[in-house]
Amino acid sequence: MAPVAVVTGAGSGLGRCLAVSLAADKTSLVLVGRRAHLLLAAREECVAAGAGPEQVLTVPADLAEPGSAARVVAAASEQFGGLDMLVNNAAVATFGALEPTDPDVFTRLFQTNVAGPAALIRHAAPLLRRSRGTVVNVGSIGGLLAVPGRSFYGATKAALHHLTRSLARELAPDIRVNAVLPGAIDTEMYQDLGLDEDATRRLREEMIRTTPLGRMGTPQDVVPWIRMLLGPDASWMTGTLLVVDGGRSC
Ligand SMILES: NC(=O)c1ccc[n+]([C@@H]2O[C@H](COP(=O)([O-])OP(=O)(O)OC[C@H]3O[C@@H](n4cnc5c(N)ncnc54)[C@H](OP(=O)(O)O)[C@@H]3O)[C@@H](O)[C@H]2O)c1
């Protein structure tokens, strides 16, 4: 039987690149995100990469909504009979200073970036225990660095890192829980930070200037490390926060 993976945020960026990489190794996939058309395009790419059409299920869902996590896990169970890997990759990033930013932004970020992953792990745990499966959460060096105007996003990622380490202990030895912490990766996320065009351009320049390896990363720079944590080479790793950032946080 092919292993089964749930990848959230699979319609774009890092999640899509990961899904295609897993598809090339014939992993059965549940692709999750809000925009159905992006999931369908990702599904096509996965099939072109080598997965059978029956091996790739798309589940449009807003993971900030209660009930979505249960629906995603039920879909995996019904279609594939189990689950081996859960990758909590979906997130939103909104930058802004504390005082002018609407408190609802904070709530929304926490619902998507922390409560969503926690709910998915909770609902997936019985299946993952059965398969001695593994979870990889996609954190961020934004959860390590203290940067004015980025506290909301950073706080959600710091919370996700803590969740990773705590649940690694709580769910051991049956389920491994690790996280990858990327630095600046060139994805759609940079178009949707709540900043104007000029501020976004300046932010990208800052990212490159402050990254010792002199460029933004690509999804391909990060995907191998997620796959490493998902796979058997990491069978003695749990609770690890693996930084992949071109040196930006050192
Ligand atoms: N890009 C970077 O520089 C960077 C740096 C460090 C960490 N990261 C992390 O890397 C991960 C992937 O981000 P990315 O860079 O690949 O950006 P991205 O292309 O914007 O991917 C984020 C994905 O999450 C999905 N998503 C957002 N809110 C959702 C919700 N409520 N329910 C379901 N899906 C939702 C989005 O799809 P829909 O909009 O269709 O739902 C999108 O596919 C994130 O966890 C991010 O925090 C990124």
Side-chain angles (χ1 to χ4, degrees), residues 12 14 34-35 61-63 89 91 139 153 157 182-183 185 187 190:
S12 63
L14 190 53
R34 288 168 301 182
R35 288 169 292 177
D62 182 345
L63 294 167
N89 164 76
Y153 176 70
K157 290 301 186 177
I185 326 168
T187 66
Y190 278 83

Side-chain angles (χ1 to χ4, degrees), residues 8-17 32-39 59-65 68 88-93 95 108 111-113 137-143 153 156-157 160 180-193 207 216-217 219 222 226 244:
T8 70
S12 63
L14 190 53
R16 182 154 169 173
C17 185
V32 185
R34 288 168 301 182
R35 288 169 292 177
H37 69 281
L38 291 185
L39 297 180
V59 181
D62 182 345
L63 294 167
E65 297 294 329
S68 291
N88 280 311
N89 164 76
V92 278
F95 289 174
R108 179 80 192 167
Q111 279 167 341
T112 309
N113 299 0
N137 295 320
V138 179
S140 171
I141 62 163
Y153 176 70
T156 66
K157 290 301 186 177
L160 186 64
V180 164
L181 280 53
I185 326 168
D186 201 356
T187 66
E188 201 182 280
M189 195 159 260
Y190 278 83
Q191 283 132 47
D192 202 20
L193 291 169
M207 294 298 173
M216 290 179 77
V222 180
I226 299 177
V244 185

Side-chain angles (χ1 to χ4, degrees), residues 3-246:
V4 180
V6 167
V7 179
T8 70
S12 63
L14 190 53
R16 182 154 169 173
C17 185
L18 172 67
V20 172
S21 164
L22 289 167
D25 286 343
K26 310 270 187 268
T27 302
S28 296
L29 290 161
V30 181
L31 309 181
V32 185
R34 288 168 301 182
R35 288 169 292 177
H37 69 281
L38 291 185
L39 297 180
L40 290 174
R43 180 178 184 278
E44 266 182 40
E45 227 183 298
C46 288
V47 172
E54 71 296 341
Q55 275 190 283
V56 191
L57 183 68
T58 60
V59 181
D62 182 345
L63 294 167
E65 297 294 329
S68 291
R71 194 156 61 77
V72 168
V73 173
S77 179
E78 277 160 32
Q79 176 87 2
F80 301 119
L83 183 64
D84 302 280
M85 299 171 248
L86 166 63
V87 182
N88 280 311
N89 164 76
V92 278
T94 308
F95 289 174
L98 176 70
E99 287 164 281
T101 303
D102 186 332
D104 287 351
V105 169
F106 194 58
T107 307
R108 179 80 192 167
L109 282 175
F110 260 89
Q111 279 167 341
T112 309
N113 299 0
V114 185
L120 268 170
I121 297 170
R122 175 188 292 119
H123 287 283
L127 296 180
L128 291 172
R129 205 169 271 121
R130 214 171 67 202
S131 63
R132 292 189 78 87
T134 179
V135 176
V136 174
N137 295 320
V138 179
S140 171
I141 62 163
L144 304 178
L145 306 174
V147 183
R150 298 180 201 163
S151 62
F152 298 139
Y153 176 70
T156 66
K157 290 301 186 177
L160 186 64
H161 302 166
H162 189 83
L163 200 69
T164 301
R165 286 161 53 81
S166 302
L167 293 184
R169 283 192 173 273
E170 194 171 313
L171 299 176
D174 299 331
I175 305 171
R176 295 187 299 105
V177 186
N178 292 292
V180 164
L181 280 53
I185 326 168
D186 201 356
T187 66
E188 201 182 280
M189 195 159 260
Y190 278 83
Q191 283 132 47
D192 202 20
L193 291 169
L195 304 174
D196 64 31
E197 209 177 300
D198 198 42
T200 303
R201 185 185 48 75
R202 279 187 275 113
L203 176 67
R204 292 172 63 97
E205 285 167 6
E206 176 205 322
M207 294 298 173
I208 293 167
R209 198 179 58 250
T210 56
T211 298
L213 293 183
R215 63 173 174 86
M216 290 179 77
T218 64
Q220 289 79 5
D221 287 322
V222 180
V223 160
W225 301 102
I226 299 177
R227 295 216 43 187
M228 190 275 288
L229 289 173
L230 289 172
D233 285 349
S235 63
W236 204 51
M237 292 174 79
T238 197
T240 296
L241 306 180
L242 181 63
V243 172
V244 185
D245 70 345

